[in-house]
Amino acid sequence: MAEPKYYCITSGKGGVGKTCLAVNLAFALAHQGRRVLLVDGDLGLANVDVLLDLEVGVTIWDILDRGIEPEAALISVHPRLDVLPASSGVPEMANLGSNDQGLLQEMLRGLATPYQYVILDTAAGLGSAVLWFNSISDLSLVVTTTDPTALTDAYALIKVLTQSHHGCCFEVVLNGVQDDKEARATFETLAAAAHRFLGLNLELLGAVPDDPAVKKAVRKQMPFLQSAPQSKAAQAVIKLADRLQGLSFPETGPTSTPGLRGQSLGHKASDTNLI
Ligand SMILES: Nc1ncnc2c1ncn2[C@@H]1O[C@H](COP(=O)(O)OP(=O)(O)OP(=O)(O)O)[C@@H](O)[C@H]1O
Ligand SMILES: [Mg+2]
């Protein structure tokens, strides 16, 4: 069986829609016949369980701290989609030490075998757990809105991931856009900065519109893919899932290939105030 692909849903700024996208992307892939493991990687402030109205028993923290069997934590939410939940209000989990990183990686490797995709929803920011989840992924999906602060923070995250050798490959997802023109223009700003200062050629995986169906689904604690499958947001996420399945990867794994990190052009000019 082929190794599962790890996709990390990540952002610099908080509240840009990572968890909504991770949950709905996981459902879209499952609807398209793929076996998916959705991991709540927001280890200290878990939200996947809230968006899906799940009753959580065992969490990642229980597995690491109390040695509970990882399989006991899995919650099936669709015939082809399982959730590995995290805990909320456990601050020490936000800064995952190297010992726990090793344990978690080992645990994920074992758990992920039957799946084709592992979707990792991270916390926002530059915490050690966020950087680590990105480092073990085949692809980082950097989520941003068109808000200049979100864009600046997306650039900062990409920069840190690139320079600290924590990142491999990036795709950008614009969330909450008015239309494709706005998404493209916003992406071009980010891509130009990443090319000029980091030597990266970013790709825009897709854009999800600002859609009231998303907020309604959050209130109902359901994926919008199920509560409003015809909504613009649901259609956009289905397109994202199609594109993810069409991506091709280098032969070697993310930790052994320099990937885009190798293309740094250095820092001849200052990259402050670039967005
Ligand atoms: N495309 C969208 N259209 C309308 N509202 C949206 C959209 N995406 C997200 N939202 C709103 O933004 C809120 C925050 O989304 P979400 O919790 O997924 O963000 P996050 O990036 O995971 O936040 P955090 O950084 O705190 O984990 C949602 O509760 C929803 O109301
Ligand atoms: Mg979240």
Side-chain angles (χ1 to χ4, degrees):
M1 204 188 299
E3 292 275 307
K5 287 284 170 233
Y6 283 57
Y7 293 146
C8 191
I9 316 292
T10 198
S11 75
K13 193 175 172 66
V16 296
K18 291 179 298 301
T19 307
C20 287
L21 287 177
V23 163
N24 285 279
L25 204 50
F27 268 88
L29 289 166
H31 286 165
Q32 292 171 2
R34 308 292 149 205
R35 292 184 305 279
V36 186
L37 176 62
L38 172 60
V39 178
D40 195 334
D42 196 343
L43 298 175
L45 289 169
N47 270 172
V48 169
D49 57 316
V50 180
L51 286 194
L52 292 174
D53 195 19
L54 302 180
E55 231 175 84
V56 173
V58 177
T59 67
I60 293 175
W61 183 64
D62 297 309
I63 298 167
L64 295 180
D65 199 57
R66 296 164 48 210
I68 294 185
E69 282 300 309
E71 285 78 7
L74 292 181
I75 302 175
S76 172
V77 295
H78 176 281
R80 286 181 296 276
L81 171 58
D82 294 329
V83 173
L84 179 62
S87 38
S88 215
V90 185
E92 57 268 37
M93 287 299 289
N95 289 310
L96 207 59
S98 55
N99 204 22
D100 280 341
Q101 289 174 6
L103 286 173
L104 190 49
Q105 185 157 19
E106 197 57 29
M107 185 259 274
L108 283 177
R109 194 175 290 141
L111 266 189
T113 320
Y115 302 94
Q116 289 160 296
Y117 294 101
V118 177
I119 306 288
L120 295 159
D121 175 36
T122 74
L126 307 174
S128 61
V130 174
L131 301 185
W132 180 76
F133 276 123
N134 278 283
S135 78
I136 64 161
S137 295
D138 294 280
L139 182 69
S140 298
L141 301 189
V142 179
V143 182
T144 177
T145 62
T146 57
D147 183 318
T149 56
L151 213 53
T152 303
D153 292 357
Y155 173 80
L157 174 66
I158 291 169
K159 178 176 170 177
V160 169
L161 287 171
T162 307
Q163 294 182 343
S164 63
H165 302 283
H166 270 94
C168 174
C169 305
F170 304 101
E171 294 270 344
V172 176
V173 178
L174 258 299
N175 188 32
V177 300
Q178 294 309 316
D179 52 37
D180 280 349
K181 200 170 152 214
E182 185 191 40
R184 180 51 64 182
T186 309
F187 168 73
E188 294 300 346
T189 307
L190 179 59
H195 186 259
R196 177 160 182 219
F197 299 107
L198 305 174
L200 297 177
N201 293 313
L202 295 183
E203 298 282 343
L204 178 62
L205 187 72
V208 179
D210 182 14
D211 187 338
V214 179
K215 286 195 171 66
K216 272 189 208 155
V218 170
R219 277 197 293 271
K220 284 190 199 160
Q221 295 181 269
M222 280 180 78
F224 53 81
L225 224 72
Q226 286 185 337
S227 63
Q230 301 309 323
S231 62
K232 283 187 181 164
Q235 295 304 311
V237 167
I238 289 167
K239 252 197 225 165
L240 285 181
D242 285 340
R243 292 210 187 119
L244 275 184
Q245 293 188 71
L247 294 176
S248 54
F249 289 87
E251 288 286 303
T252 44
T255 46
S256 56
T257 174
L260 295 173
R261 285 174 279 152
Q263 296 180 18
S264 177
L265 297 176
H267 287 258
K268 294 190 192 73
S270 164
D271 63 354
T272 50
N273 303 328
L274 45 85
I275 305 283

